[in-house]
């Protein structure tokens, strides 16, 4: 297509979760409450782990980074969505849109990899308890976390770089509540073949491989638990694993539904519902699932509260 035959889009219009005006205000208060809870839960967990010396071990180091990722992920998505719920003109500039997508992709990919690292950590501590401190040394943990963020940055940069090559003209209405890749590609007036190949390739690396790592780790964990003679210890381990698997299942299940199905059968309305889980619900639930049910966290929280009011 020749450049003279079209005008480039400079801003997009976000449809949001719904186009029904009577639902805008209830949704605003709902997601505002979720955002406040998410920020308090994840920021509180980061501060608690930082203040409590007995939580300075690999498990809580990874949890601290997961809370940071969830906090940033929510902040990339929800504030703009809240503004749009109160605004009649739900627009976002082209540069703001690509920036939002870049940070969303970075934190989403980082969370996928971090969950896999956390599953591996649980595998080592349960299956190799005597060698745990040697295997999961400070250097190893730092490299794992560094690798997580490096993979996130690589994936986000690749997707954003390919997106910047796509031409948008005429159509500028995004059927979503934030700038996600698939809704944007549906508006393109140039070829998106490269974007789709990159999306499928990176989705395999960042969704399928971490999922297999988590499943393999928990299969070995469960096999080890079944060998445990103590009924109490077995029950406690199963409760911990089941809660972690629920969070992982919701996160990766919703991601897979959005990104691993053919574009010909995908529905943006279904995709929006799926996106709510991995961008909004899971970051809110992670502090509850991973930390607040944990005995060590409760003890640390009580100590911090007691020292504050003494």
């Amino acid at each position: 297509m020749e450049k003279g035959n079209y005008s480039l889009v400079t801003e997009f219009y976000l449809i949001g979760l719904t186009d029904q005006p009577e639902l805008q205000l209830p949704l605003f208060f709902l997601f505002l409450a979720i955002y406040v809870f998410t920020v308090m839960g994840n920021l509180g967990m980061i501060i608690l782990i930082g203040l409590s010396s007995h939580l300075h071990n690999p498990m809580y180091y990874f949890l601290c980074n997961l809370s940071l990722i969830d906090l940033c992920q929510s902040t990339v998505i929800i504030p703009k969505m809240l503004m749009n719920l109160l605004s009649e003109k739900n627009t976002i500039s082209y540069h703001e849109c690509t920036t939002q997508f870049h940070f969303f992709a970075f934190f989403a990919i980082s969370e996928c990899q971090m969950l896999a690292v956390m599953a591996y950590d649980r595998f080592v501590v349960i299956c190799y308890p005597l060698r745990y401190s040697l295997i999961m040394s400070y250097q190893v943990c730092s490299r794992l976390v560094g690798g997580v963020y490096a993979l996130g940055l690589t994936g986000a940069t690749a997707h954003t770089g390919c997106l910047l090559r796509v031409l948008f003209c005429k159509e500028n209405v995004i059927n979503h509540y934030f700038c996600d890749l698939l809704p944007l590609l549906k508006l393109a007036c140039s070829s998106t073949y490269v974007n789709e190949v990159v999306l499928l390739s990176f989705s395999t690396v960042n969704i399928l491989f971490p999922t297999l790592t988590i499943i393999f780790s928990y299969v070995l964990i469960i096999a080890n638990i079944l060998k445990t003679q103590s009924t109490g210890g077995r029950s406690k381990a199963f409760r911990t694993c089941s809660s972690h698997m629920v969070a992982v299942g919701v996160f990766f299940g919703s991601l897979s539904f959005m990104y691993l199905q053919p574009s010909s059968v995908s529905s943006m309305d279904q995709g929006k519902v799926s996106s709510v889980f991995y961008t909004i619900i899971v970051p809110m639930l992670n502090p509850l699932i991973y930390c607040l049910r944990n005995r060590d966290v409760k003890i640390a929280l009580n100590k911090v509260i007691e020292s504050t009011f003494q």
Side-chain angles (χ1 to χ4, degrees), residues 30-43:
L30 172 63
F31 288 112
L32 177 62
I34 289 175
Y35 182 60
V36 170
F37 188 88
T38 301
V39 170
M40 291 178 62
N42 287 289
L43 186 59

Side-chain angles (χ1 to χ4, degrees), residues 16-18 27 30-31 34-35 38 70 73-74 77-78 81 85 104 111 175-178 180 250-251 253-255 257-259 267-285:
L17 282 173
T18 178
L27 286 175
L30 172 63
F31 288 112
I34 289 175
Y35 182 60
T38 301
D70 284 335
Q73 178 77 292
S74 298
I77 303 296
I78 301 181
M81 184 177 69
L85 286 170
F104 157 72
E111 178 144 3
N175 186 16
H176 217 300
Y177 58 90
F178 72 99
D180 200 0
V250 170
F251 182 77
S254 56
L255 269 179
F257 181 85
M258 186 70 181
Y259 296 107
S267 165
M268 279 300 105
D269 290 331
Q270 293 176 342
K272 284 193 285 187
V273 175
S274 174
S275 299
V276 168
F277 284 95
Y278 63 81
T279 61
I280 298 174
I281 302 300
V282 170
M284 177 189 68
L285 294 179

Side-chain angles (χ1 to χ4, degrees), residues 85-97:
L85 286 170
L86 294 180
S87 173
E88 294 183 1
K89 190 178 180 182
N90 304 333
T91 58
I92 183 170
S93 72
Y94 173 81
H95 297 294
E96 289 174 341
C97 190

